[in-house]
Amino acid sequence: MYSKEVMKHFQEPHNMGEIKNPDGIGKVGNPMCGDLMEVYIKVKKNIITDIKVKTFGCVAAIATSSMITDLAKGKSLEEAKKITRDQVAKSLKGLPKIKMHCSNLAAEGLYKAIENYQKKTK
Amino acid sequence: MKYKEVYLDNGATTKTDSKVLEVMKPWFCKNYGNSSSLHKKGIHSKETLEKSRSIIAKRINALPEEIIFTTGGSESNNLAIKGVAQIHKTGHIITSKIEHPSVIETCKFLRKQGFEITFLDVNKDGFINLKQLENSITKRTILVTIMHANNEIGTIQPIEKIGKLCKEKQVLFHTDAVQSFTKEKIDVKKANIDLMSLSAHKIHGPKGVGALYKKKSVNIEKQIHGGHQEQNLRAGTENIAGIVGFTKAVQLAKEEHIKKMTELRDMLISNIQQEIPDTKLNGSREKRLCNNVNISFKYVEGEGVLIHLDLKGIAVSTGSACSSQNLKPSHVLMAIGLRHDIAHGSLRFTLSRFTTKKDIDYVVKNLKEIIKNLRKISPLQKNYKYSVGVKDKSYW
Ligand SMILES: Cc1ncc(COP(=O)(O)O)c(C=O)c1O
C-alpha cells in the first residue's frame, strides 16, 4: 500500500523530537482522522536552521512529518512557506489517495510554526 | 535473528487446517457429483452433504434439517434478517450498535425499506442492557438480532438471557455466532435461539462456506432464488468440498483448545500490562472470547504499531481511524465510549489453537520496543488535553 520511500521515512523518521527554546511552534490537528503534529523551528537570518517534529498518527503521518523537515531545513521562510502538500507527497513517491490529508497536516504544521515565529518577531 | 511469523489476526480469518484441506481434496476432481443428480456420483455427494449437516447440527443441539448451508457469515446474517423481515413485510427489528457490518448494513437497508430499527447501546465493556432490550420490544417487534461474541473486543453477550426474554415476549431471536462457534458452548435449544449464523473460515475451515441454523418452526423468505436446494431456502449447487471442509473443521475444534487459548490470552494481557505502561484493555475482562485481546496503547496510533509489528512478521489488526476506509474509528470502539485518541491506539490480537507461548513472548518483546519508540516521537503524554475536534458523523 505504501511506497518504499514512505516506508523508509516511517521506519527511521528524520528530525523527530522537539527543540528546546524554539523560535516558532506549529501545533495542528486533523479533524478528519484525529492525528496530531507539532512542528518546532529554529530561525537564523530568515533561514530555518533547525526543525523538529512530533507526531501522533499513522504511517503516512509519520512519513510526511519526516519529509517536511527534510524539505524545510535550510530554506528561507518564504521558500518554506511555499511547500505544498503535493510536494510532500511527491517527494515520498506518492501517498495512497485516502492518506493525502496527512501531507496537508505536515505542510500546515510547518506553515503555522513559521507564522508563530513571524508574529513573535514582528 | 531468524525471521519469525506470528499470526494473531485469527478474528479476521484463520489458516485452513491441513487436515481440513486433505478431506476436501477428493471433492474436486474425483467426487464432483451434483447432489441433485440421481446417479452414483450424485448420491455420494448427497449422502456426504447430509452426513455433514448432521454433524454440524449435533454440535449446536439442532436437528439436521435446521441447518442451511450458505457462503458464510455475511450471507447467513442477510438470510436470517431479510428472511424474517420479508415474511412479516413490516415491523420493528432490534439489534445493537456493535454488530458486524453484515448485520448493521442489512438493518440499515431494511430501514430504508420502511422497517423500524432500534440499535441498542452497549456499556463500556460492550454489553447490551437487558432492561433496555425488554423496554424496546413492542407489539410491532418481529426480530431481535444480537451477536454472541463481538469480533473486535471479544465481549460475550448473555444469549441465554436474551433468548429467554425473546421467548417470553414471543419475538424471534437471531444471533451471529461467527466468532464464538466452537469457542463457546452453544445449545440452541437451551438458549432459545431461533436463528444463528456460522462461518467456516474463522475456525480453520475454508473461506466461502458457512451455515444458518433455523429452528424448524420458524419461517423465512429465501434470498437466492433458483433450485430447491437447502430445504428450498437457498438455491444453488452445494459447495460440497467446502461443506466437507467446514464439517472437518468443526470436528477438529476441541474443548481443550479453548483452555489453551484462554491461558495464552491471559498471558498476553498480563504480560502487556506488566511490560508496557498506560494501556487499556477494551471489552470485558471476564466474559471474553477465549482468543481475543484488544488493547489501546495510549499516545500512539494503531496503524503505525501494526506496520512495525508486520515488519517483524507479526500480523494483528487495529480499530484506528487511520486504517479504515472512511477515516472513522471502529464503530464498536465508539459504541463503548472510547475517546477518539484511545480508539486511535487500539490493537486487536486474536489467537488460534496454533498459537504458542513463544509467539506471545516474541510479540510482547517487540511490542514493548515499538510502543516505546513511537511514544518518543508522539506529542501526547500523561495528562495531556486532547483537543482535536474530530468530526464524528454517526454510523448507525
Ligand atoms: C461477527 C462476524 N459476523 C460475520 C462475519 C462475516 O463472516 P463471513 O466472512 O463468513 O461472511 C464475520 C467475519 O468477518 C464476523 O466476525
PDB file of all heavy atoms in Angstrom, chain B residues 2-24:
ATOM      1  N   LYS B   2      16.463 -15.045  13.407  1.00  0.00           N
ATOM      2  CA  LYS B   2      15.622 -15.698  12.410  1.00  0.00           C
ATOM      3  C   LYS B   2      14.280 -14.978  12.310  1.00  0.00           C
ATOM      4  O   LYS B   2      13.702 -14.580  13.301  1.00  0.00           O
ATOM      5  CB  LYS B   2      15.404 -17.163  12.812  1.00  0.00           C
ATOM      6  CG  LYS B   2      15.248 -18.080  11.611  1.00  0.00           C
ATOM      7  CD  LYS B   2      15.052 -19.520  12.066  1.00  0.00           C
ATOM      8  CE  LYS B   2      13.664 -19.983  11.727  1.00  0.00           C
ATOM      9  NZ  LYS B   2      12.841 -20.485  12.778  1.00  0.00           N
ATOM     10  N   TYR B   3      13.827 -14.828  11.099  1.00  0.00           N
ATOM     11  CA  TYR B   3      12.541 -14.188  10.866  1.00  0.00           C
ATOM     12  C   TYR B   3      11.433 -15.109  11.340  1.00  0.00           C
ATOM     13  O   TYR B   3      11.375 -16.274  10.969  1.00  0.00           O
ATOM     14  CB  TYR B   3      12.398 -13.911   9.366  1.00  0.00           C
ATOM     15  CG  TYR B   3      11.171 -13.134   9.006  1.00  0.00           C
ATOM     16  CD1 TYR B   3      11.132 -11.765   9.211  1.00  0.00           C
ATOM     17  CD2 TYR B   3      10.058 -13.771   8.469  1.00  0.00           C
ATOM     18  CE1 TYR B   3       9.999 -11.040   8.868  1.00  0.00           C
ATOM     19  CE2 TYR B   3       8.932 -13.055   8.129  1.00  0.00           C
ATOM     20  CZ  TYR B   3       8.909 -11.690   8.329  1.00  0.00           C
ATOM     21  OH  TYR B   3       7.796 -10.977   7.990  1.00  0.00           O
ATOM     22  N   LYS B   4      10.591 -14.575  12.192  1.00  0.00           N
ATOM     23  CA  LYS B   4       9.529 -15.394  12.747  1.00  0.00           C
ATOM     24  C   LYS B   4       8.184 -14.910  12.216  1.00  0.00           C
ATOM     25  O   LYS B   4       7.999 -13.727  12.009  1.00  0.00           O
ATOM     26  CB  LYS B   4       9.570 -15.263  14.269  1.00  0.00           C
ATOM     27  CG  LYS B   4       8.792 -16.323  15.012  1.00  0.00           C
ATOM     28  CD  LYS B   4       9.113 -16.248  16.506  1.00  0.00           C
ATOM     29  CE  LYS B   4       8.008 -16.826  17.353  1.00  0.00           C
ATOM     30  NZ  LYS B   4       7.814 -18.272  17.200  1.00  0.00           N
ATOM     31  N   GLU B   5       7.291 -15.834  11.983  1.00  0.00           N
ATOM     32  CA  GLU B   5       5.961 -15.445  11.545  1.00  0.00           C
ATOM     33  C   GLU B   5       4.960 -15.754  12.650  1.00  0.00           C
ATOM     34  O   GLU B   5       4.828 -16.891  13.076  1.00  0.00           O
ATOM     35  CB  GLU B   5       5.585 -16.208  10.272  1.00  0.00           C
ATOM     36  CG  GLU B   5       4.406 -15.601   9.556  1.00  0.00           C
ATOM     37  CD  GLU B   5       4.111 -16.316   8.249  1.00  0.00           C
ATOM     38  OE1 GLU B   5       4.770 -16.014   7.230  1.00  0.00           O
ATOM     39  OE2 GLU B   5       3.214 -17.174   8.255  1.00  0.00           O
ATOM     40  N   VAL B   6       4.329 -14.706  13.157  1.00  0.00           N
ATOM     41  CA  VAL B   6       3.333 -14.897  14.205  1.00  0.00           C
ATOM     42  C   VAL B   6       2.016 -14.299  13.725  1.00  0.00           C
ATOM     43  O   VAL B   6       1.906 -13.096  13.525  1.00  0.00           O
ATOM     44  CB  VAL B   6       3.762 -14.233  15.530  1.00  0.00           C
ATOM     45  CG1 VAL B   6       2.679 -14.433  16.590  1.00  0.00           C
ATOM     46  CG2 VAL B   6       5.083 -14.817  16.016  1.00  0.00           C
ATOM     47  N   TYR B   7       1.031 -15.163  13.541  1.00  0.00           N
ATOM     48  CA  TYR B   7      -0.249 -14.709  13.018  1.00  0.00           C
ATOM     49  C   TYR B   7      -1.250 -14.558  14.161  1.00  0.00           C
ATOM     50  O   TYR B   7      -1.723 -15.550  14.716  1.00  0.00           O
ATOM     51  CB  TYR B   7      -0.763 -15.707  11.967  1.00  0.00           C
ATOM     52  CG  TYR B   7      -2.040 -15.257  11.304  1.00  0.00           C
ATOM     53  CD1 TYR B   7      -2.019 -14.300  10.298  1.00  0.00           C
ATOM     54  CD2 TYR B   7      -3.270 -15.771  11.701  1.00  0.00           C
ATOM     55  CE1 TYR B   7      -3.193 -13.861   9.704  1.00  0.00           C
ATOM     56  CE2 TYR B   7      -4.451 -15.350  11.112  1.00  0.00           C
ATOM     57  CZ  TYR B   7      -4.403 -14.392  10.108  1.00  0.00           C
ATOM     58  OH  TYR B   7      -5.563 -13.960   9.525  1.00  0.00           O
ATOM     59  N   LEU B   8      -1.530 -13.329  14.523  1.00  0.00           N
ATOM     60  CA  LEU B   8      -2.513 -13.070  15.585  1.00  0.00           C
ATOM     61  C   LEU B   8      -3.668 -12.234  15.030  1.00  0.00           C
ATOM     62  O   LEU B   8      -4.075 -11.241  15.603  1.00  0.00           O
ATOM     63  CB  LEU B   8      -1.858 -12.375  16.785  1.00  0.00           C
ATOM     64  CG  LEU B   8      -0.844 -13.202  17.579  1.00  0.00           C
ATOM     65  CD1 LEU B   8      -0.391 -12.451  18.821  1.00  0.00           C
ATOM     66  CD2 LEU B   8      -1.424 -14.559  17.978  1.00  0.00           C
ATOM     67  N   ASP B   9      -4.164 -12.664  13.876  1.00  0.00           N
ATOM     68  CA  ASP B   9      -5.311 -11.996  13.276  1.00  0.00           C
ATOM     69  C   ASP B   9      -6.384 -13.029  12.933  1.00  0.00           C
ATOM     70  O   ASP B   9      -7.029 -12.972  11.887  1.00  0.00           O
ATOM     71  CB  ASP B   9      -4.871 -11.215  12.028  1.00  0.00           C
ATOM     72  CG  ASP B   9      -5.887 -10.140  11.650  1.00  0.00           C
ATOM     73  OD1 ASP B   9      -6.754  -9.812  12.492  1.00  0.00           O
ATOM     74  OD2 ASP B   9      -5.818  -9.643  10.516  1.00  0.00           O
ATOM     75  N   ASN B  10      -6.537 -13.993  13.833  1.00  0.00           N
ATOM     76  CA  ASN B  10      -7.481 -15.089  13.590  1.00  0.00           C
ATOM     77  C   ASN B  10      -8.935 -14.660  13.681  1.00  0.00           C
ATOM     78  O   ASN B  10      -9.830 -15.417  13.308  1.00  0.00           O
ATOM     79  CB  ASN B  10      -7.197 -16.237  14.562  1.00  0.00           C
ATOM     80  CG  ASN B  10      -5.877 -16.922  14.250  1.00  0.00           C
ATOM     81  OD1 ASN B  10      -5.783 -17.709  13.316  1.00  0.00           O
ATOM     82  ND2 ASN B  10      -4.838 -16.587  15.002  1.00  0.00           N
ATOM     83  N   GLY B  11      -9.175 -13.449  14.159  1.00  0.00           N
ATOM     84  CA  GLY B  11     -10.533 -12.913  14.131  1.00  0.00           C
ATOM     85  C   GLY B  11     -10.908 -12.506  12.717  1.00  0.00           C
ATOM     86  O   GLY B  11     -12.084 -12.487  12.357  1.00  0.00           O
ATOM     87  N   ALA B  12      -9.906 -12.186  11.907  1.00  0.00           N
ATOM     88  CA  ALA B  12     -10.160 -11.827  10.505  1.00  0.00           C
ATOM     89  C   ALA B  12     -10.380 -13.100   9.693  1.00  0.00           C
ATOM     90  O   ALA B  12     -11.378 -13.246   8.995  1.00  0.00           O
ATOM     91  CB  ALA B  12      -8.985 -11.039   9.938  1.00  0.00           C
ATOM     92  N   THR B  13      -9.423 -13.989   9.794  1.00  0.00           N
ATOM     93  CA  THR B  13      -9.591 -15.317   9.212  1.00  0.00           C
ATOM     94  C   THR B  13      -8.500 -16.212   9.769  1.00  0.00           C
ATOM     95  O   THR B  13      -7.540 -15.735  10.364  1.00  0.00           O
ATOM     96  CB  THR B  13      -9.541 -15.305   7.669  1.00  0.00           C
ATOM     97  OG1 THR B  13     -10.028 -16.563   7.178  1.00  0.00           O
ATOM     98  CG2 THR B  13      -8.130 -15.081   7.141  1.00  0.00           C
ATOM     99  N   THR B  14      -8.650 -17.520   9.568  1.00  0.00           N
ATOM    100  CA  THR B  14      -7.677 -18.469  10.115  1.00  0.00           C
ATOM    101  C   THR B  14      -7.016 -19.247   8.989  1.00  0.00           C
ATOM    102  O   THR B  14      -7.526 -19.270   7.869  1.00  0.00           O
ATOM    103  CB  THR B  14      -8.388 -19.488  11.016  1.00  0.00           C
ATOM    104  OG1 THR B  14      -9.388 -20.156  10.228  1.00  0.00           O
ATOM    105  CG2 THR B  14      -9.038 -18.821  12.208  1.00  0.00           C
ATOM    106  N   LYS B  15      -5.924 -19.880   9.312  1.00  0.00           N
ATOM    107  CA  LYS B  15      -5.337 -20.764   8.307  1.00  0.00           C
ATOM    108  C   LYS B  15      -6.186 -22.019   8.223  1.00  0.00           C
ATOM    109  O   LYS B  15      -6.729 -22.491   9.227  1.00  0.00           O
ATOM    110  CB  LYS B  15      -3.889 -21.087   8.666  1.00  0.00           C
ATOM    111  CG  LYS B  15      -3.657 -22.244   9.599  1.00  0.00           C
ATOM    112  CD  LYS B  15      -2.174 -22.648   9.535  1.00  0.00           C
ATOM    113  CE  LYS B  15      -1.834 -23.611  10.658  1.00  0.00           C
ATOM    114  NZ  LYS B  15      -0.399 -23.852  10.769  1.00  0.00           N
ATOM    115  N   THR B  16      -6.336 -22.521   7.025  1.00  0.00           N
ATOM    116  CA  THR B  16      -7.064 -23.774   6.858  1.00  0.00           C
ATOM    117  C   THR B  16      -6.198 -24.884   7.428  1.00  0.00           C
ATOM    118  O   THR B  16      -5.031 -25.013   7.066  1.00  0.00           O
ATOM    119  CB  THR B  16      -7.343 -24.036   5.366  1.00  0.00           C
ATOM    120  OG1 THR B  16      -8.001 -22.885   4.831  1.00  0.00           O
ATOM    121  CG2 THR B  16      -8.208 -25.248   5.168  1.00  0.00           C
ATOM    122  N   ASP B  17      -6.752 -25.655   8.323  1.00  0.00           N
ATOM    123  CA  ASP B  17      -6.022 -26.791   8.891  1.00  0.00           C
ATOM    124  C   ASP B  17      -5.695 -27.761   7.751  1.00  0.00           C
ATOM    125  O   ASP B  17      -6.554 -28.044   6.905  1.00  0.00           O
ATOM    126  CB  ASP B  17      -6.907 -27.463   9.953  1.00  0.00           C
ATOM    127  CG  ASP B  17      -6.136 -28.459  10.799  1.00  0.00           C
ATOM    128  OD1 ASP B  17      -5.433 -29.326  10.219  1.00  0.00           O
ATOM    129  OD2 ASP B  17      -6.241 -28.382  12.031  1.00  0.00           O
ATOM    130  N   SER B  18      -4.466 -28.281   7.726  1.00  0.00           N
ATOM    131  CA  SER B  18      -4.088 -29.174   6.623  1.00  0.00           C
ATOM    132  C   SER B  18      -4.966 -30.423   6.606  1.00  0.00           C
ATOM    133  O   SER B  18      -5.230 -30.992   5.543  1.00  0.00           O
ATOM    134  CB  SER B  18      -2.606 -29.543   6.712  1.00  0.00           C
ATOM    135  OG  SER B  18      -2.323 -30.058   7.986  1.00  0.00           O
ATOM    136  N   LYS B  19      -5.455 -30.827   7.767  1.00  0.00           N
ATOM    137  CA  LYS B  19      -6.354 -31.993   7.810  1.00  0.00           C
ATOM    138  C   LYS B  19      -7.689 -31.663   7.132  1.00  0.00           C
ATOM    139  O   LYS B  19      -8.341 -32.533   6.561  1.00  0.00           O
ATOM    140  CB  LYS B  19      -6.611 -32.407   9.263  1.00  0.00           C
ATOM    141  CG  LYS B  19      -5.372 -32.924   9.983  1.00  0.00           C
ATOM    142  CD  LYS B  19      -5.776 -33.586  11.300  1.00  0.00           C
ATOM    143  CE  LYS B  19      -4.573 -33.845  12.179  1.00  0.00           C
ATOM    144  NZ  LYS B  19      -4.248 -32.693  13.050  1.00  0.00           N
ATOM    145  N   VAL B  20      -8.072 -30.405   7.212  1.00  0.00           N
ATOM    146  CA  VAL B  20      -9.294 -29.962   6.527  1.00  0.00           C
ATOM    147  C   VAL B  20      -9.089 -30.032   5.023  1.00  0.00           C
ATOM    148  O   VAL B  20      -9.905 -30.568   4.281  1.00  0.00           O
ATOM    149  CB  VAL B  20      -9.677 -28.528   6.974  1.00  0.00           C
ATOM    150  CG1 VAL B  20     -10.743 -27.935   6.060  1.00  0.00           C
ATOM    151  CG2 VAL B  20     -10.151 -28.526   8.425  1.00  0.00           C
ATOM    152  N   LEU B  21      -7.948 -29.499   4.605  1.00  0.00           N
ATOM    153  CA  LEU B  21      -7.644 -29.500   3.163  1.00  0.00           C
ATOM    154  C   LEU B  21      -7.624 -30.929   2.628  1.00  0.00           C
ATOM    155  O   LEU B  21      -8.154 -31.195   1.536  1.00  0.00           O
ATOM    156  CB  LEU B  21      -6.296 -28.811   2.921  1.00  0.00           C
ATOM    157  CG  LEU B  21      -5.858 -28.736   1.468  1.00  0.00           C
ATOM    158  CD1 LEU B  21      -6.836 -27.938   0.637  1.00  0.00           C
ATOM    159  CD2 LEU B  21      -4.461 -28.138   1.365  1.00  0.00           C
ATOM    160  N   GLU B  22      -7.058 -31.857   3.396  1.00  0.00           N
ATOM    161  CA  GLU B  22      -6.971 -33.251   2.954  1.00  0.00           C
ATOM    162  C   GLU B  22      -8.352 -33.835   2.655  1.00  0.00           C
ATOM    163  O   GLU B  22      -8.545 -34.462   1.618  1.00  0.00           O
ATOM    164  CB  GLU B  22      -6.251 -34.126   3.999  1.00  0.00           C
ATOM    165  CG  GLU B  22      -4.740 -34.062   3.926  1.00  0.00           C
ATOM    166  CD  GLU B  22      -4.198 -34.186   2.504  1.00  0.00           C
ATOM    167  OE1 GLU B  22      -4.567 -35.153   1.808  1.00  0.00           O
ATOM    168  OE2 GLU B  22      -3.424 -33.284   2.087  1.00  0.00           O
ATOM    169  N   VAL B  23      -9.306 -33.626   3.554  1.00  0.00           N
ATOM    170  CA  VAL B  23     -10.630 -34.225   3.326  1.00  0.00           C
ATOM    171  C   VAL B  23     -11.392 -33.513   2.208  1.00  0.00           C
ATOM    172  O   VAL B  23     -12.327 -34.060   1.633  1.00  0.00           O
ATOM    173  CB  VAL B  23     -11.506 -34.281   4.607  1.00  0.00           C
ATOM    174  CG1 VAL B  23     -10.845 -35.120   5.680  1.00  0.00           C
ATOM    175  CG2 VAL B  23     -11.825 -32.884   5.125  1.00  0.00           C
ATOM    176  N   MET B  24     -10.977 -32.290   1.904  1.00  0.00           N
ATOM    177  CA  MET B  24     -11.651 -31.556   0.823  1.00  0.00           C
ATOM    178  C   MET B  24     -11.214 -32.032  -0.563  1.00  0.00           C
ATOM    179  O   MET B  24     -12.003 -32.015  -1.512  1.00  0.00           O
ATOM    180  CB  MET B  24     -11.372 -30.051   0.949  1.00  0.00           C
ATOM    181  CG  MET B  24     -12.082 -29.372   2.097  1.00  0.00           C
ATOM    182  SD  MET B  24     -11.556 -27.655   2.276  1.00  0.00           S
ATOM    183  CE  MET B  24     -12.336 -26.907   0.820  1.00  0.00           C
TER     184      MET B  24
END
